[in-house]
Amino acid sequence: ATPLYAVNAPSNKELKIGITQEFGSINPVIMSMSASSYIGQMVSRRLMVIDANWKWRCSLCTKVPSIKNGLAKILVEKGKKKLIVKWQLKPDYHWADGKPVTADDFKLAWEIGVSPNVSVSEKDQYTKIESFTVDPMDPLKFETKFTSAVYDFYQLPYQAIPSHLEGPIWQKSKDKPDEYEKKSLYTVDAQNPGLYNGPYFIKEIKTGSHVELRRNPFFGDSIAHIEKV
């Protein structure tokens, strides 16, 4: 007998996901809405993540720093304990425009997050870092100095901001409250592939309708299995 309806064979061509909330800014530092974070997990990668066994592991770094392995060191300044932590980024991660992810991208995210002129959902994760120093000899190495000897120093969850695109915008807008949010490419040109370093980048946004994601051809781990989301 002829079937009343036909079912397409499963494929990796396209995945459609329905959500009830409209997403807001996809800027990794500024985003706060759950819908934005949901999309953000697909288009951006964090420095550190929690794996399926509830263990912190590197996503974009090469080794989890610790006192034992020498990548973290306690120092005392004016009677107060502080921490110096060294980080090494993996060399095979790129923004979706082909530019490499570097320490400058994480430094820019920290500068934006710590600024009193930018509203972020979790200010503490930025302000607990006193200084951020990029190794002048290696663009994949940087050092963070914490204001106190916190136990969770290795749990830096924040994401990078592409300094080759957002850096000039930040320099022109950083001294005015709320100015960066308005001028950021995440606001005015969110379909620019260079804004994303995850397995996908945003190909199209239709407010009130949908956001279309495509595979990042430069993603470090492996090319995403599903072609379009």
Side-chain angles (χ1 to χ4, degrees):
T2 303
L4 297 178
Y5 60 89
V7 178
N8 292 331
S11 75
N12 287 331
K13 286 289 185 181
E14 181 177 296
L15 172 66
K16 290 185 178 180
I17 303 171
I19 57 177
T20 58
Q21 186 185 65
E22 179 75 82
F23 53 90
S25 174
I26 309 295
N27 187 306
V29 176
I30 298 171
M31 70 169 65
S32 58
M33 298 175 65
S34 58
S36 300
S37 298
Y38 185 72
I39 296 170
Q41 296 297 324
M42 292 184 260
V43 298
S44 297
R45 277 293 178 266
R46 296 175 181 269
L47 183 64
M48 295 288 296
V49 294
I50 299 176
D51 65 18
N53 297 314
W54 291 99
K55 299 291 185 181
W56 281 92
R57 66 173 180 82
C58 281
S59 178
L60 297 183
C61 54
T62 58
K63 184 181 291 186
V64 179
S66 68
I67 300 293
K68 186 176 181 179
N69 65 22
L71 294 178
K73 182 180 179 181
I74 295 177
L75 70 155
V76 179
E77 287 186 351
K78 298 180 180 179
K80 183 178 181 180
K81 286 186 177 181
K82 297 184 179 183
L83 265 175
I84 295 288
V85 185
K86 296 180 179 180
W87 302 87
Q88 170 77 57
L89 297 177
K90 294 177 181 177
D92 52 352
Y93 276 86
H94 295 76
W95 301 97
D97 61 359
K99 298 292 184 181
V101 176
T102 69
D104 283 329
D105 301 329
F106 282 95
K107 183 177 183 180
L108 178 59
W110 171 73
E111 289 179 354
I112 295 171
V114 79
S115 171
N117 292 325
V118 180
S119 298
V120 300
S121 58
E122 295 182 52
K123 204 75 170 177
D124 177 66
Q125 70 178 5
Y126 301 100
T127 57
K128 67 183 178 182
I129 297 174
E130 181 178 308
S131 63
F132 193 118
T133 306
V134 176
D135 188 330
M137 303 301 292
D138 189 341
L140 298 182
K141 288 183 178 181
F142 63 93
E143 190 175 88
T144 51
K145 182 179 180 181
F146 287 78
T147 57
S148 60
V150 293
Y151 76 94
D152 58 350
F153 61 86
Y154 58 90
Q155 299 176 11
L156 279 186
Y158 67 80
Q159 296 153 275
I161 296 289
S163 56
H164 66 289
L165 296 177
E166 290 285 281
I169 297 171
W170 173 244
Q171 291 303 315
K172 292 179 181 179
S173 60
K174 65 181 181 179
D175 296 325
K176 298 180 181 179
D178 303 321
E179 186 74 6
Y180 170 67
E181 293 96 315
K182 299 174 185 176
K183 299 294 180 62
S184 169
L185 291 181
Y186 289 100
T187 302
V188 302
D189 186 20
Q191 295 164 179
N192 188 319
L195 298 173
Y196 311 105
N197 64 7
Y200 292 93
F201 69 92
I202 293 179
K203 176 69 174 179
E204 181 181 65
I205 291 179
K206 293 292 184 182
T207 304
S209 175
H210 67 275
V211 56
E212 179 185 318
L213 311 180
R214 290 297 182 103
R215 288 187 295 206
N216 175 4
F218 302 102
F219 185 58
D221 286 339
S222 62
I223 299 299
H225 292 296
I226 298 173
E227 184 177 323
K228 179 172 72 170
V229 179

